[in-house]
């Protein structure tokens, strides 16, 4: 994946959006925005897996609620490819709080609250590489 640094990012369609039946609509918006799906799978994280993934937030007050939510139901993890992927994906997602998200963003359209905000995305190329490696082996990329 090193040959594509800057062009790959990691995303999650979170349990709230999957539970609401919005996976297909969100995937369509992602591909319509010019992203290529390089890896994709439906998973159901255990609480320890969610705690490991969000370990950077372990000391934050929202950590228990976040990890309980992320392990509450299936989600879709994705490797997304596009030029300037991290920024492009974060722009498409919109602000963390859907009430503050711009029109046309995924969170404005699909999220219900700051805690259940439909999608996750890496915030840097370094975190994208780590998050992709957490969920995907090299063999899973196409």
């Amino acid at each position: 994946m090193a040959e594509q640094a800057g062009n790959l990012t990691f995303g999650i369609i979170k349990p709230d959006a999957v539970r609401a039946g919005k996976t297909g609509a969100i995937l369509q918006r992602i591909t319509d925005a010019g992203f290529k799906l390089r890896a994709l799978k439906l998973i159901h994280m255990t609480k320890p897996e969610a705690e490991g993934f969000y370990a950077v937030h372990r000391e934050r007050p929202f950590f228990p609620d976040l990890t309980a939510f992320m392990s509450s139901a299936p989600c879709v993890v994705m490797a997304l490819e596009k030029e300037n992927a991290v920024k492009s994906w974060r722009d498409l997602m919109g602000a963390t709080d859907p009430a503050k998200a711009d029109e046309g963003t995924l969170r404005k359209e699909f999220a219900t609250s700051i805690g259940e905000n439909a999608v996750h995305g890496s915030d840097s190329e370094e975190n994208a590489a780590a998050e992709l490696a957490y969920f995907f082996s090299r063999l899973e990329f196409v």
Side-chain angles (χ1 to χ4, degrees), residues 23 42 74 78 84 103 105 121:
T23 302
L42 178 69
M78 309 171 286
N84 201 12
E103 289 297 328
T105 63

Side-chain angles (χ1 to χ4, degrees), residues 83-142:
E83 190 170 333
N84 201 12
V86 171
K87 182 181 183 324
S88 295
W89 175 232
R90 293 188 69 77
D91 289 348
L92 181 60
M93 286 192 312
T96 303
D97 182 349
K100 297 177 181 173
D102 291 338
E103 289 297 328
T105 63
L106 295 174
R107 287 181 172 150
K108 185 67 165 188
E109 184 173 345
F110 299 107
T112 56
S113 70
I114 196 166
E116 296 192 5
N117 58 13
V119 289
H120 163 88
S122 302
D123 61 3
S124 68
E125 289 182 21
E126 297 75 26
N127 284 342
E131 292 177 343
L132 287 164
Y134 192 86
F135 289 103
F136 296 105
S137 74
R138 184 73 178 111
L139 295 173
E140 294 175 291
F141 287 83
V142 295

Side-chain angles (χ1 to χ4, degrees), residues 7-22:
N7 291 334
L8 278 181
T9 194
F10 174 75
I12 301 176
I13 302 174
K14 292 183 176 182
D16 56 318
V18 173
R19 198 172 14 241
K22 302 301 182 186

Side-chain angles (χ1 to χ4, degrees), residues 37-93:
L37 297 168
R38 294 286 314 280
L40 176 81
K41 60 185 167 182
L42 178 69
I43 65 167
H44 190 156
M45 275 189 261
T46 64
K47 186 94 156 58
E49 288 166 340
E51 289 170 347
F53 180 69
Y54 287 106
V56 67
H57 298 304
R58 187 170 299 282
E59 302 304 319
R60 307 287 293 272
F62 59 81
F63 182 77
D65 289 340
L66 173 62
T67 55
F69 165 62
M70 290 302 293
S71 60
S72 69
C75 61
V76 176
V77 291
M78 309 171 286
L80 304 173
E81 182 180 26
K82 184 177 181 178
E83 190 170 333
N84 201 12
V86 171
K87 182 181 183 324
S88 295
W89 175 232
R90 293 188 69 77
D91 289 348
L92 181 60
M93 286 192 312

